[in-house]
């Protein structure tokens, strides 16, 4: 039985996998079982932002494994305390550590529901069309895409949906039961849509006016992906609660929900918990990630991003199947007038990994460590792909 047969025989058929058996990964490269090398412009959905097996991260992980792998939230693990301090200091407030993005959002939603409950019996949460917040039942309900709601009805109450970048549509939904607003500053799974400054500023004003918890889901767009540590730094707008996961430990499972001073003390003992959350090995990795993501490092990634957009806009001039190039930092989408599937297959064949979060959108989430040379190599393959389908 080969690897692909094992998948099709023993796994629940939840995800259609790409035809790539991964043998090895290092930096911006992945190798398959035959030794073929790929340039990875997806990093496992914006997880290995520092590149695969970043040296500092690997070193920190190995060191932690010489001590222990797990102690649980019932005791003190110094490495976990150190990470909590770093994250709380970066955002200002208090942190809860978990394992996955969905859990980080569950925590934020629970916090908002408790706050709403204790301040006038409020429970409604405004989310956005085209959003993505996770795969648990609650975070599926928060996700503004009908395909994720199929078979789950009745959905847990009560999420209502406004239009992204349309502040008037948010105003219309606010009532005396509204407890929170949850939004991605850059919609990732939805197809790379960047919030406008006006929109996020408008949400901040509404949240303050109505005493609503403003939650930013930065699970995909945070942690350097947009060229800033937090995406909100581009906007001059700070949420009350932020959720992080994906890239936080550069490949190990970890997530964080951070609440500002006001909301950091909503939970009291017993309100929330976790077995694996804040795993010491993952925390050691995350401490190394934070150290590596210096302002200089991030600025450098913005320079590379600028170069990438210039090259992609050149392609846009050349091929009219490219409708739009959009994004911020190294979080990039190419909107096509055709399905992206054939382009994806061609790229994979030629050794470039990209992805399609929506039918007509090609998404690129390369490691933040890529060079202009890597951009040139990727753009050359994309150019060839577009010329083939033209
Ligand atoms: C990936 C993602 C999630 C869910 O994270 P998991 O770790 O898969 O649970 C939530 N929100 C956003 C914006 C994401 O990109």
């Amino acid at each position: 039985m080969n690897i692909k047969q094992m998948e099709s025989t023993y796994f629940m058929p939840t995800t259609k996998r790409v035809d790539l058996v991964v043998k090895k990964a290092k930096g911006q490269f992945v190798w398959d079982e035959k030794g073929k090398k790929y340039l990875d412009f997806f990093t496992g959905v914006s997880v290995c932002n520092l590149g695969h097996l970043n040296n500092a991260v690997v070193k920190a992980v190995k060191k932690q494994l010489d001590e222990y792998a797990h102690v649980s939230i019932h005791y003190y693990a110094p490495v976990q305390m150190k990470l909590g301090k770093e994250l709380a200091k970066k955002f200002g407030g208090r942190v809860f550590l978990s394992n996955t993005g969905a859990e980080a959002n569950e925590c934020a939603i629970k916090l908002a529901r408790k706050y709403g409950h204790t301040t006038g019996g409020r429970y409604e949460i405004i989310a956005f069309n085209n959003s993505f917040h996770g795969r648990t039942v609650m975070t599926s309900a928060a996700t503004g895409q009908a395909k994720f709601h199929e078979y789950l009805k009745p959905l847990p109450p009560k999420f209502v949906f406004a239009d992204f970048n349309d502040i008037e549509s948010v105003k219309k939904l606010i009532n005396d039961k509204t407890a929170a607003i949850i939004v991605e500053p850059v919609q990732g799974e939805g197809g790379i849509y960047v919030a406008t400054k006006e929109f996020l500023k408008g949400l901040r004003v509404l949240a303050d006016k109505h005493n609503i918890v403003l939650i930013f889901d930065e699970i995909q767009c945070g942690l350097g992906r947009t060229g800033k540590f937090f995406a909100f730094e581009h906007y001059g707008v700070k949420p009350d609660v932020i959720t992080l996961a994906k890239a936080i430990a550069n490949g190990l499972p970890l997530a964080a929900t951070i609440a500002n001073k006001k909301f950091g003390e909503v939970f009291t003992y017993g309100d929330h918990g976790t077995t694996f959350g804040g795993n010491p090995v993952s925390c050691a990795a995350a401490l190394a990630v934070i150290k590596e993501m210096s302002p200089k490092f991030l600025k450098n990634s913005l320079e590379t991003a600028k170069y990438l957009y210039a090259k992609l806009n050149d392609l846009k001039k050349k091929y009219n199947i490219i409708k739009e190039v959009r994004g911020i930092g190294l979080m990039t989408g190419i909107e096509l007038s055709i399905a992206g599937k054939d382009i994806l297959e061609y790229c994979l064949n030629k050794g470039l990994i990209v992805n399609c979060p929506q039918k007509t959108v090609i998404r690129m989430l390369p490691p933040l460590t890529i060079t202009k040379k890597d951009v040139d190599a990727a753009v050359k393959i994309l150019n060839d792909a577009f010329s083939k389908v033209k």
Side-chain angles (χ1 to χ4, degrees):
M1 192 179 259
N2 69 30
I3 296 289
K4 286 171 206 167
Q5 286 164 338
M6 283 154 110
E7 195 269 349
S8 61
T9 309
Y10 297 115
F11 283 74
M12 294 187 192
T14 58
T15 308
K16 182 115 187 60
R17 292 175 205 245
V18 172
D19 188 10
L20 172 62
V21 181
V22 181
K23 177 83 201 291
K24 195 176 103 175
K26 178 72 186 169
Q28 66 274 50
F29 300 111
V30 163
W31 287 262
D32 70 13
E33 74 220 295
K34 295 191 190 92
K36 181 175 160 188
K37 188 177 175 183
Y38 300 81
L39 182 55
D40 185 2
F41 266 41
F42 190 48
T43 57
V45 208
S46 193
V47 167
C48 299
N49 281 7
L50 298 176
H52 295 280
L53 297 181
N54 170 277
N55 290 339
V57 173
V58 171
K59 207 173 142 206
V61 163
K62 285 185 172 166
K63 186 165 171 275
Q64 182 54 44
L65 278 171
D66 281 338
E67 291 177 6
Y68 46 76
H70 176 80
V71 292
S72 100
I73 199 169
H74 295 284
Y75 309 100
Y76 296 96
V79 69
Q80 193 184 68
M81 299 305 118
K82 281 180 196 157
L83 177 64
K85 180 182 167 195
E86 287 302 317
L87 289 171
K89 260 176 37 191
K90 264 203 177 302
F91 185 76
R94 289 174 181 266
V95 64
F96 183 88
L97 297 176
S98 51
N99 308 283
T100 65
E103 281 175 89
N105 283 336
E106 285 277 348
C107 173
I109 292 163
K110 273 177 83 170
L111 187 154
R113 289 281 288 254
K114 180 173 179 190
Y115 183 72
H117 189 80
T118 51
T119 52
R122 301 178 295 154
Y123 50 83
E124 283 189 22
I125 297 178
I126 298 174
F128 291 90
N129 290 318
N130 200 43
S131 61
F132 181 81
H133 297 297
R135 294 294 211 138
T136 61
V137 178
M138 192 61 134
T139 55
S140 292
T143 291
Q145 300 186 57
K147 66 182 178 196
F148 292 107
H149 296 169
E150 254 179 296
Y151 314 120
L152 291 181
K153 287 171 185 169
L155 293 162
K158 188 181 176 184
F159 293 93
V160 291
F161 296 93
D163 289 327
F164 192 66
N165 277 340
D166 179 353
I167 200 72
E168 289 307 315
S169 72
V170 182
K171 279 184 194 161
K172 279 186 204 144
L173 293 176
I174 292 179
N175 62 55
D176 63 0
K177 295 292 172 222
T178 308
I181 297 171
I182 183 165
V183 66
E184 297 158 86
V186 186
Q187 290 187 331
E189 298 308 304
I192 313 292
Y193 290 96
V194 184
T196 63
K197 209 168 230 179
E198 192 191 5
F199 176 61
L200 292 189
K201 284 206 153 111
L203 292 182
R204 184 67 274 173
V205 169
L206 287 176
D208 289 338
K209 185 172 167 202
H210 299 279
N211 194 22
I212 290 168
V213 190
L214 182 60
I215 304 164
F216 281 4
D217 176 344
E218 293 211 7
I219 288 162
Q220 191 163 147
C221 65
L223 296 152
R225 179 47 60 194
T226 67
K228 303 270 188 195
F229 190 83
F230 297 118
F232 72 73
E233 293 172 56
H234 287 285
Y235 293 88
V237 177
K238 215 174 141 193
D240 299 306
V241 177
I242 192 165
T243 56
L244 303 170
K246 290 196 165 83
I248 192 168
N250 207 56
L252 275 78
L254 186 70
T257 308
I258 321 174
N260 67 13
K261 206 161 175 282
K262 176 176 172 188
F263 294 100
E265 292 178 17
V266 167
F267 284 147
T268 51
Y269 290 137
D271 282 340
H272 200 40
T274 173
T275 297
F276 280 121
N279 171 270
V281 182
S282 299
C283 287
L287 278 167
V289 167
I290 292 171
K291 209 164 155 199
E292 293 281 292
M293 270 185 202
S294 65
K296 186 167 163 248
F297 172 86
L298 294 173
K299 199 165 152 256
N300 209 21
S301 81
L302 274 176
E303 285 296 311
T304 315
K306 215 164 117 191
Y307 185 73
L308 173 66
Y309 289 105
K311 292 274 168 185
L312 292 178
N313 279 311
D314 286 345
L315 289 186
K316 181 171 175 264
K317 280 182 212 131
K318 222 164 131 185
Y319 301 107
N320 55 24
I321 54 164
I322 302 180
K323 279 169 57 185
E324 190 182 27
V325 174
R326 57 180 180 249
I328 176 166
L330 289 171
M331 185 167 188
T332 309
I334 307 173
E335 177 87 47
L336 304 174
S337 59
I338 57 162
K341 200 173 145 275
D342 292 344
I343 304 286
L344 228 67
E345 262 166 40
Y346 182 91
C347 289
L348 191 72
N349 231 317
K350 297 288 172 190
L352 173 69
I353 301 171
V354 289
N355 150 277
C356 278
Q358 300 286 338
K359 208 171 160 209
T360 57
V361 182
I362 294 175
R363 172 171 57 170
M364 291 191 276
L365 304 164
L368 309 178
T369 52
I370 55 161
T371 61
K372 287 179 180 168
K373 204 176 130 217
D374 296 320
V375 171
D376 287 339
V379 169
K380 185 179 179 306
I381 293 170
L382 281 170
N383 179 64
D384 293 348
F386 291 133
S387 73
K388 290 283 184 301
V389 298
K390 203 169 144 188

